[in-house]
Amino acid sequence: MRKILLIIALLFAAWTARAQVDLEKEFFSLPDTVTNAYLDSLSIQVTPPNDYWSVGVYGGASLHFGFWNPSRLTKGHWAFPVYGFSFIRYFTMFGIFHNMGLEFGAQQNYEGYEFKYNEETKYRATESGAYKVTMKVPEAFFLSHFHIDIGEHFKLLAKLGIYGGYRTSISRTLDEVYEGSTYEQYVNSFRDYDKRWTYGVQGGLGVGLMFSPFEFHLNAQVKWGWESFWQQDYASKYYYRFAYPLDGAITFGIYYQLTPRYGHTRSQLRKLARKMVAEEMNKNE
């Protein structure tokens, strides 16, 4: 066993030495005319990696469930189109972390829910006679935007932050049992105890393709609302009924880099270093 471990250690040491030689050859092999004195005389302004602005538009669709207490049997239903715009500010935090960013913008989104028919009980819950509700909600958001570059043209995205909006319109689908009832007056209108403002936490994951100055982002978003659809005690003063937004969305966006982007992958740093040295050499010729 010791012999096997010794052999593995020797092979690893040989591989590490070879890799170091390759790196030195790749990064530090310079022409004979480039002396230490010449390098010391250079004054190179290094551009921070991933330090730029971008702006874009996106569109997609949202999926709605709702969060209930007491629990309700629900199913997701889609609403579209979701569309919006955002600004993204990429930066290097503390001069070390090149994966940071902030994103803020506005979007036309939706909130709602749909109760599912229970095959066992032969019953489907309703709210004001409606088993399905969809609300239009213009929103503004502010998110932390993290990214991990993989190669020159691909990156992974992660977002987390807050949002706020206002429910501007509502559409209810009545259960056939309540068609023709007094509930019809609320099909496209809010009740006195319905809440119009909404806010909560928003986050998601995505991928991006980068072909400067354009970027293409595909995102999956989750939104958890902290403001109920209605006043919890409207039905009774002795117990509360909680109902909060719980939504998802799939969006695709196109972004334009307002300032030049310099990545921090190995290949991009090599290109940037060669470019800066070449420019300095041309200045001194």
Side-chain angles (χ1 to χ4, degrees):
M1 186 65 181
R2 292 182 179 177
K3 292 182 178 180
I4 295 175
L5 293 175
L6 181 59
I7 293 172
I8 293 174
L10 291 173
L11 291 175
F12 179 77
W15 178 83
T16 304
R18 180 178 179 182
Q20 183 176 357
V21 171
D22 290 341
L23 286 175
E24 290 176 352
K25 181 178 179 181
E26 181 179 1
F27 284 95
F28 305 110
S29 295
L30 297 172
D32 295 335
T33 55
V34 181
T35 63
N36 291 335
Y38 171 74
L39 292 175
D40 292 338
S41 67
L42 294 179
S43 177
I44 300 176
Q45 298 296 324
V46 179
T47 302
N50 283 321
D51 191 341
Y52 68 102
W53 283 85
S54 68
V55 62
V57 295
Y58 59 87
S62 56
L63 182 65
H64 308 277
F65 291 94
F67 178 75
W68 305 86
N69 185 15
S71 61
R72 298 286 185 90
L73 186 62
T74 62
K75 64 178 182 179
H77 79 275
W78 291 93
F80 58 88
V82 173
Y83 56 89
F85 71 93
S86 68
F87 291 88
I88 305 175
R89 173 69 168 97
Y90 294 99
F91 60 91
T92 300
M93 188 169 68
F94 306 134
I96 300 174
F97 303 105
H98 309 295
N99 309 100
M100 310 302 294
L102 295 174
E103 181 175 359
F104 57 92
Q107 63 184 6
Q108 172 62 67
N109 205 345
Y110 299 86
E111 291 181 349
Y113 51 87
E114 181 176 355
F115 298 122
K116 186 177 180 180
Y117 184 78
N118 192 321
E119 295 291 345
E120 295 182 359
T121 62
K122 307 300 180 183
Y123 171 78
R124 176 170 57 189
T126 61
E127 182 62 40
S128 294
Y131 70 90
K132 180 180 179 181
V133 174
T134 303
M135 292 171 280
K136 282 189 175 182
V137 187
E139 299 170 346
F141 54 86
F142 185 82
L143 310 173
S144 295
H145 184 112
F146 308 95
H147 64 102
I148 299 176
D149 292 7
I150 302 176
E152 188 173 352
H153 301 292
F154 184 77
K155 64 180 174 181
L156 302 178
L157 308 173
K159 308 177 184 182
L160 182 63
I162 57 175
Y163 79 92
Y166 186 77
R167 297 159 183 157
T168 57
S169 65
I170 188 169
S171 174
R172 310 179 197 265
T173 303
L174 295 181
D175 191 287
E176 58 184 12
V177 176
Y178 298 98
E179 292 179 356
S181 68
T182 57
Y183 287 127
E184 286 193 343
Q185 63 182 307
Y186 301 115
V187 168
N188 296 115
S189 63
F190 290 95
R191 304 162 302 184
D192 294 339
Y193 46 81
D194 284 326
K195 294 188 175 182
R196 306 289 292 274
W197 291 101
T198 179
Y199 59 90
V201 63
Q202 176 179 317
L205 300 173
V207 295
L209 293 177
M210 302 173 289
F211 298 93
S212 298
F214 293 100
E215 298 184 13
F216 305 91
H217 295 185
L218 179 64
N219 288 288
Q221 164 188 297
V222 176
K223 191 182 75 173
W224 178 24
W226 292 346
E227 180 64 278
S228 177
F229 291 125
W230 53 71
Q231 297 176 16
Q232 292 91 335
D233 60 350
Y234 84 89
S236 171
K237 298 297 182 181
Y238 301 100
Y239 69 91
Y240 287 173
R241 301 170 60 191
F242 297 96
Y244 294 92
L246 182 59
D247 311 317
I250 301 293
T251 61
F252 176 78
I254 301 176
Y255 286 79
Y256 181 79
Q257 298 166 359
L258 296 176
T259 52
R261 171 187 176 273
Y262 300 99
H264 68 278
T265 62
R266 179 181 297 178
S267 62
Q268 291 168 326
L269 286 177
R270 286 201 303 266
K271 290 181 180 179
L272 181 60
R274 294 191 186 105
K275 178 181 178 182
M276 290 189 297
V277 170
E279 291 176 350
E280 289 297 327
M281 293 180 68
N282 290 334
K283 289 179 182 179
N284 291 276
E285 287 181 353

